[in-house]
Amino acid sequence: MEKSDLKSLTEQQIEAEFVRMGQPKFRARQVYRWLHQKQVSTFAEMTDLPTPLRGQLDEKFYINTIRIKKRLVSSIDGTVKYLYELRDGNCVEAVRMQYKHGASLCISTQVGCRMGCRFCASTLAGWVRNLTASEMLDEVYTAQQDLRGRISNVVLMGIGEPLDNFDNVMAFLEILSSREGINLSLRHVSLSTCGLVDGIRALAEKKLQLTLSVSLHAPNDSIRSQSMPVNQRYNMDDLLDACRDYFEQTGRRISFEYALIAGVNDAPAHAEELASRLSGMGAHVNLIPVNPVAETGYRRGKRAGIEAFQAQLERLGVNATIRRELGTDIAAACGQLRRQDTETA
């Protein structure tokens, strides 16, 4: 019999499994705490469970674990990049960044990505599979063990498109924020999407208190379609309509990611068009000087031009910041993560 992934189940799902096994419901909470508070890797470690029950669980389920295959530390800012090896031998990357408010971890949600954004290294080797809820949780748990401290913020902005792995991501968020787990408030979680409109609308219905970040990267359909194939499926009007509806349903302000690419989307006219598009949305624009990825050929403009773009947005009534760059010397910055064990991974 093929074993099931116990760590990916919510507390209610584990409880239902225990009822089917003829076990009392309180055992489910015990097991859930062992998995997510104490983060054990074997059923033998669940010492307050009867020995026969531990044996039953071992026959029916497995406890997922991942390992750090490679760990790189930036000599510039101390950012840590992990190459995680999964149970099946696939690899993904995560990045731990230190801020005054605590440690933030950028995690992957898929092995590879099928969105095809031209400026992103994560999509170059293609999509392999979705990550399970337990694998995403283990990215966090393993980083905490390495840090010997708590991850205070989680960003779903690594390899993969979170809304392309909707069900597993929703289970991950429920378990991550559970009081019987590590109890990380979703107000400390950011989810980034390239603009899957159906996913944004489904997420809005959940009314979660996370921060939604939308990768916009262009002021119009013509430019966006050149670098983001998703725009051919959901154009900017459809996307921004979904974003407005999301804000109305959740009350949560949306952050728009905008990678500034020299000669492509960084002219004053682009800032004016972008501001017009976002007018009245109360939006925040996170400007990202595009990071080097050898295969793309994209380059960033001069710092003065980037700051001028920000200032113009501000003058036009759009709140805008320039993202602080972390981990560029270890290819850990935005758009640089890969699913393969390369010399820079």
Side-chain angles (χ1 to χ4, degrees), residues 72-75 77-81 95-98 326-327 330 332:
L72 296 179
V73 182
S74 169
S75 60
D77 51 52
T79 294
V80 179
K81 182 167 75 167
V95 178
R96 194 185 85 217
M97 299 153 285
Q98 194 66 41
L326 297 173
I330 55 171

Side-chain angles (χ1 to χ4, degrees), residues 220-239:
N220 58 52
D221 284 322
S222 176
I223 294 175
R224 195 166 194 265
S225 292
Q226 291 175 29
S227 60
M228 300 184 72
V230 69
N231 199 68
Q232 296 165 24
R233 181 178 176 189
Y234 302 111
N235 65 29
M236 285 187 65
D237 285 341
D238 292 339
L239 174 58

Side-chain angles (χ1 to χ4, degrees), residues 169-236:
V169 167
M170 292 304 106
F172 160 75
L173 293 173
E174 180 175 341
I175 298 168
L176 183 75
S177 59
S178 168
R179 291 183 180 180
E180 301 301 324
I182 64 171
N183 194 22
L184 182 67
S185 168
L186 293 186
R187 289 182 177 273
H188 297 284
V189 174
S190 295
L191 183 152
S192 177
T193 177
C194 69
L196 298 186
V197 168
D198 292 347
I200 292 171
R201 294 194 180 282
L203 183 65
E205 292 178 3
K206 301 285 185 181
K207 293 183 171 57
L208 303 178
Q209 291 299 295
L210 52 71
T211 297
L212 177 63
S213 295
V214 175
S215 296
L216 200 58
H217 304 316
N220 58 52
D221 284 322
S222 176
I223 294 175
R224 195 166 194 265
S225 292
Q226 291 175 29
S227 60
M228 300 184 72
V230 69
N231 199 68
Q232 296 165 24
R233 181 178 176 189
Y234 302 111
N235 65 29
M236 285 187 65

Side-chain angles (χ1 to χ4, degrees), residues 88-321:
D88 62 0
N90 276 301
C91 294
V92 295
E93 291 185 321
V95 178
R96 194 185 85 217
M97 299 153 285
Q98 194 66 41
Y99 297 96
K100 291 180 180 178
H101 59 260
S104 181
L105 185 72
C106 177
I107 70 165
S108 295
T109 55
Q110 295 177 307
V111 181
C113 182
R114 53 184 159 203
M115 296 299 108
C117 299
R118 307 279 188 254
F119 45 79
C120 183
S122 299
T123 197
L124 292 172
W127 177 88
V128 177
R129 66 172 177 84
N130 289 330
L131 292 187
T132 63
S134 65
E135 288 171 326
M136 288 179 269
L137 289 162
D138 280 333
E139 291 184 73
V140 179
Y141 298 167
T142 304
Q144 287 193 149
Q145 291 160 11
D146 180 64
L147 175 63
R148 296 183 181 179
R150 183 172 173 83
I151 296 296
S152 57
N153 292 270
V154 173
V155 182
L156 283 70
M157 202 180 288
I159 299 168
E161 162 57 59
L163 298 184
D164 190 37
N165 185 16
F166 192 87
D167 291 341
N168 286 333
V169 167
M170 292 304 106
F172 160 75
L173 293 173
E174 180 175 341
I175 298 168
L176 183 75
S177 59
S178 168
R179 291 183 180 180
E180 301 301 324
I182 64 171
N183 194 22
L184 182 67
S185 168
L186 293 186
R187 289 182 177 273
H188 297 284
V189 174
S190 295
L191 183 152
S192 177
T193 177
C194 69
L196 298 186
V197 168
D198 292 347
I200 292 171
R201 294 194 180 282
L203 183 65
E205 292 178 3
K206 301 285 185 181
K207 293 183 171 57
L208 303 178
Q209 291 299 295
L210 52 71
T211 297
L212 177 63
S213 295
V214 175
S215 296
L216 200 58
H217 304 316
N220 58 52
D221 284 322
S222 176
I223 294 175
R224 195 166 194 265
S225 292
Q226 291 175 29
S227 60
M228 300 184 72
V230 69
N231 199 68
Q232 296 165 24
R233 181 178 176 189
Y234 302 111
N235 65 29
M236 285 187 65
D237 285 341
D238 292 339
L239 174 58
L240 293 178
D241 282 346
C243 290
R244 291 185 182 94
D245 291 344
Y246 180 91
F247 176 72
E248 288 181 9
Q249 285 186 256
T250 66
R252 301 287 293 172
R253 184 180 72 165
I254 293 176
S255 177
F256 289 96
E257 311 288 332
Y258 194 99
L260 284 163
I261 305 170
V264 175
N265 65 355
D266 64 341
H270 297 140
E272 186 171 348
E273 188 174 7
L274 179 63
S276 176
R277 285 273 193 175
L278 302 182
S279 177
M281 292 184 65
H284 170 257
V285 176
N286 196 357
L287 297 172
I288 308 167
V290 71
N291 288 302
V293 174
E295 295 90 337
T296 69
Y298 285 141
R299 59 184 180 84
R300 65 176 59 180
K302 295 181 179 180
R303 182 70 184 185
I306 295 168
E307 291 176 351
F309 196 96
Q310 177 199 18
Q312 186 174 1
L313 288 178
E314 294 277 1
R315 284 195 303 271
L316 294 169
V318 176
N319 180 263
T321 55

